[in-house]
Amino acid sequence: MRQSNIRPFGAMPDGAPVEEITLAGAGITAAIITYGGAVRSLTVPDRTGAPTDVVLGFDTLEDYRVQDKYIGAIVGRCANRIAGGRFSLNGREYPLFVNNGPNHLHGGQVGFDRQVWTVEELRENEAVLRLVSPDGQEGYPGRLEVRVTYTLEEKSLSIFYEARSDADTVCSLTNHSYFNLSGQGRGDVLDHRIQLCAQYYTPADRQSIPTGQLAPVEGTPMDLRQPVQIGARIGGDFPQLLWAGGYDHNWAVDGQPGQLRPAGRAAAPDTGIAMEVETTMPGIQFYTGNFLAGCPAGKGGARYENRSGFALETQFYPDAVHHPGFPSPVLRAGERYAHRTVYRFGLD
Ligand code: GLA
């Protein structure tokens, strides 16, 4: 498959080529690299019509390989944390790679964000990427075949995740784009307004491991049901926010998991760019880039500091495999995993 919208983007140490795909839809363009399946740019018009790149990213493969912030990447086999870096399934204990204090985070040492995906199908507005995660990778049971379809439509990016395993396993896939709706590299996101369609969130301990409760947001700074400026309460003395250094929590998206429904909305006052998120997943992690500082210079020499972007990671709840009360992230052998998340852009 050789098309005009795919070009070389460097090579891995073993020589494996990495490519970049550019996709175009109505009023939106994107660049996707096969390293981590990462969204490297996403451009939409601001209120004056000027094309604005609203995601953080890097100019070279080397920079992607050096950073450890999951910038733009597809995260798996299991997004977010698994307490103690182990779980049991069907009476067997599976130790995983431990990479976040005593816990497992975002698929381990070489998660899906650090692997080279294969381009399986390519159209002007759509790319299908494929990855096979062998049995035992990072400690997970089962050979997992994953397909991720990126589709650009009318000012929207849709990400469709499909997976199948030959043995029972755990699977929760997300995309870890950091958005800055003022334009990447243009300062912090504290003046953005955020809104999450969630009456409940999952309070966590100091290591960001959920306690297992579903707590009402009502009466707390976690109540984002009405639009709130990101900076308004982020530095308050609410323990959840203090422990995480800002927002880095999972909200239980209202409505029925499995159905595509509104999960959140964000907007920047200067550009007027607004983004709505819809998902079939049970939860959404709202993360304000609390430990984003310390990566290489971004696209065009941009400096990324804490709060230079925010992520809205649709997912099963963190550590769900240990909480029978949470929707289960267990994918049974032969069953089809299918989830969709849509990022829809407009003007405020
Ligand atoms: C997620 C986690 C954060 C952090 C980032 C990556 O959002 O919840 O704690 O690990 O990924 O830096």
Side-chain angles (χ1 to χ4, degrees), residues 69-70 80-81 105-106 176 178 248 285 287 291 313:
K69 317 293 180 191
Y70 306 87
N80 218 307
R81 293 168 180 79
L105 174 68
H106 288 334
H176 209 301
Y178 289 82
D248 189 4
Q285 183 94 2
Y287 171 55
F291 353 94
E313 306 152 56

Side-chain angles (χ1 to χ4, degrees), residues 16-340:
V18 171
E19 291 169 315
E20 179 176 70
I21 293 159
T22 44
L23 300 178
I28 185 166
T29 61
I32 312 287
I33 56 171
T34 55
Y35 179 75
V39 177
R40 195 173 86 79
S41 71
L42 190 61
T43 302
V44 294
D46 71 5
R47 62 157 71 90
T48 71
T52 309
D53 183 0
V54 294
V55 294
L56 275 50
F58 300 101
D59 286 326
T60 70
L61 177 61
E62 287 61 44
D63 294 337
Y64 273 97
R65 296 194 51 240
V66 168
Q67 58 87 32
D68 58 358
K69 317 293 180 191
Y70 306 87
I71 292 189
I74 298 165
V75 174
R77 182 178 301 203
C78 184
N80 218 307
R81 293 168 180 79
I82 296 180
R86 50 178 54 244
F87 65 90
S88 57
L89 187 59
N90 304 328
R92 234 189 98 177
E93 186 79 358
Y94 293 96
L96 302 170
F97 189 85
V98 166
N99 57 332
N100 190 241
N103 305 315
H104 173 88
L105 174 68
H106 288 334
Q109 187 178 33
V110 187
F112 295 178
D113 60 297
R114 295 199 167 267
Q115 301 183 42
V116 180
W117 293 62
T118 307
V119 182
E120 200 176 70
E121 287 173 44
L122 187 54
R123 284 173 278 279
E124 198 192 326
N125 71 326
E126 184 168 79
V128 182
L129 304 184
R130 180 171 185 267
L131 186 77
V132 176
S133 173
D135 178 32
Q137 190 173 53
E138 299 290 322
Y140 290 97
R143 174 185 187 274
L144 186 77
E145 278 192 52
V146 187
R147 272 163 56 105
V148 170
T149 305
Y150 284 112
T151 309
L152 294 189
E153 276 157 354
E154 180 81 38
K155 283 179 87 177
S156 73
L157 167 66
S158 157
I159 312 179
F160 184 50
Y161 304 86
E162 293 166 279
R164 208 181 279 273
S165 174
D166 64 4
D168 292 0
T169 192
V170 167
C171 184
S172 178
L173 305 170
T174 195
N175 177 277
H176 209 301
S177 285
Y178 289 82
F179 298 95
N180 185 325
L181 303 178
S182 297
Q184 70 89 25
R186 299 207 196 126
D188 65 49
V189 295
L190 293 173
D191 66 350
H192 285 39
R193 279 182 300 123
I194 181 74
Q195 185 175 6
L196 296 178
C197 311
Q199 283 175 262
Y200 296 92
Y201 76 108
T202 52
D205 68 13
R206 287 169 192 267
Q207 287 169 339
S208 297
I209 300 292
T211 60
Q213 278 169 281
L214 272 172
V217 295
E218 178 93 51
T220 78
M222 311 310 259
D223 190 350
L224 303 175
R225 289 173 295 176
Q226 297 302 319
V228 172
Q229 217 177 49
I230 291 181
R233 305 171 184 163
I234 200 171
D237 61 4
F238 190 64
Q240 290 290 314
L241 294 174
L242 285 174
W243 295 345
Y247 295 100
D248 189 4
H249 299 82
N250 170 71
W251 276 257
V253 178
D254 289 343
Q256 198 53 47
Q259 279 174 19
L260 194 65
R261 65 215 191 282
R265 186 175 191 273
D270 52 354
T271 56
I273 295 174
M275 177 178 82
E276 285 170 5
V277 184
E278 292 170 11
T279 191
T280 60
M281 293 296 274
I284 192 165
Q285 183 94 2
F286 172 45
Y287 171 55
T288 42
N290 310 339
F291 353 94
L292 184 52
C295 34
K299 288 176 286 188
R303 278 177 61 117
Y304 298 148
E305 303 293 350
N306 291 346
R307 323 251 191 261
S308 294
F310 67 92
L312 285 172
E313 306 152 56
T314 56
Q315 57 177 3
F316 281 95
Y317 305 166
D319 198 31
V321 70
H322 290 132
H323 296 283
F326 291 174
S328 173
V330 172
L331 178 66
R332 299 287 169 194
E335 254 177 35
R336 178 165 178 258
Y337 175 104
H339 279 285
R340 187 185 296 277

